Amino acid sequence: DAGVIQSPRHEVTEMGQEVTLRCKPISGHDYLFWYRQTMMRGLELLIYFNNNVPIDDSGMPEDRFSAKMPNASFSTLKIQPSEPRDSAVYFCASSTGRWGTDTQYFGPGTRLTVL
Amino acid sequence: AQSVSQHNHHVILSEAASLELGCNYSYGGTVNLFWYVQYPGQHLQLLLKYFSGDPLVKGIKGFEAEFIKSKFSFNLRKPSVQWSDTAEYFCAVNVPSSNDYKLSFGAGTTVTVRA
């Protein structure tokens, strides 16, 4: 398996623009997670899905952020409008089974810079 | 709220030196514990994990960690580091939350191994 795939790997945009990050989980994994990593706050869980259904989005910073999982092999994280403080590395991860007991497999991340 | 504390922000050591990274968590119930590693420019990957049983856990690349319940600790160790161990190390704790689980990461410890 190719592992968790994320695109783009790097994104540079201007404040106010819409940004869409994409993730393809490992086939057969029924949990998908979106994380954000910054120097100030470390690694934060934004939202996670189980069988394509959002379970907990309490980590989503504000309404400008939204995430979807239209099918088992694809998820998006959208920021609209983007702001400079959204600059971070965004990771997608997937796992199988109850995530309290299973390893999460991380993608390579998308480094987002908002100017 | 669950929190994970990693005592050292940055550790610098020479090859062949021993490494120990501290991790403490603040939850009194049953926990699942993880150490993840992030090599420069790469994604997070699992080093080792503890769910139950022997509190001394062996991981990949010669790493091990010891779960000490009375101290709420899960310290990571390696007897002799190599230059290739230069990376950022994250402790994570998975605890029950409502009808699901929450994964909390520590702030991370950057390890620099000098040749």
Side-chain angles (χ1 to χ4, degrees):
Chain A
D1 198 309
V4 176
I5 299 172
Q6 290 186 249
S7 65
R9 294 293 306 276
H10 301 272
E11 177 79 33
V12 180
T13 189
E14 292 188 346
M15 184 174 64
Q17 297 298 307
E18 178 181 295
V19 175
T20 300
L21 311 181
R22 297 171 177 79
C23 175
K24 182 181 186 323
I26 292 173
S27 178
H29 284 191
D30 48 9
Y31 280 88
L32 183 140
F33 311 87
W34 282 101
Y35 291 90
R36 177 172 68 177
Q37 185 180 35
T38 62
M39 289 292 292
M40 292 296 294
R41 293 184 297 272
L43 198 61
E44 306 170 278
L45 176 66
L46 300 177
I47 185 173
Y48 77 93
F49 296 82
N50 179 24
N51 291 320
N52 314 338
V53 176
I55 301 300
D56 187 342
D57 64 355
S58 60
M60 296 285 261
E62 48 198 277
D63 292 345
R64 297 184 297 107
F65 285 69
S66 63
K68 294 182 179 179
M69 193 166 185
N71 57 63
S73 60
F74 183 66
S75 177
T76 59
L77 178 67
K78 185 176 294 186
I79 309 172
Q80 166 64 18
S82 58
E83 296 181 3
R85 59 194 170 115
D86 301 330
S87 297
V89 180
Y90 290 82
F91 288 102
C92 177
S94 70
S95 72
T96 181
R98 293 294 299 279
W99 71 302
T101 56
D102 287 306
T103 302
Q104 294 185 24
Y105 295 85
F106 284 77
T110 295
R111 183 174 295 278
L112 173 65
T113 303
V114 183
L115 303 174
Chain B
Q2 175 63 26
S3 69
V4 182
S5 299
Q6 292 185 237
H7 312 304
N8 309 100
H9 180 65
H10 195 180
V11 173
I12 302 173
L13 59 167
S14 300
E15 277 192 311
S18 64
L19 172 70
E20 180 160 0
L21 304 181
C23 173
N24 286 90
Y25 59 93
S26 57
Y27 178 73
T30 301
V31 293
N32 297 325
L33 301 154
F34 306 79
W35 275 98
Y36 281 85
V37 61
Q38 186 176 24
Y39 297 103
Q42 297 188 27
H43 58 279
L44 279 82
Q45 54 188 286
L46 184 72
L47 262 183
L48 48 79
K49 58 186 177 184
Y50 171 81
F51 294 154
S52 63
D54 188 344
L56 185 61
V57 180
K58 302 287 187 182
I60 61 171
K61 305 187 179 186
F63 284 90
E64 64 178 30
E66 184 175 13
F67 170 54
I68 303 179
K69 188 175 181 179
S70 61
K71 295 184 178 180
F72 298 90
S73 70
F74 189 55
N75 292 353
L76 180 71
R77 299 193 292 254
K78 184 169 183 178
S80 177
V81 295
Q82 301 172 309
W83 176 81
S84 57
D85 293 322
T86 294
E88 189 160 15
Y89 293 81
F90 294 90
C91 180
V93 178
N94 225 343
V95 298
S97 176
S98 299
N99 61 347
D100 210 296
Y101 290 89
K102 292 288 188 182
L103 183 64
S104 294
F105 282 86
T109 298
T110 300
V111 173
T112 301
V113 179
R114 292 179 173 161

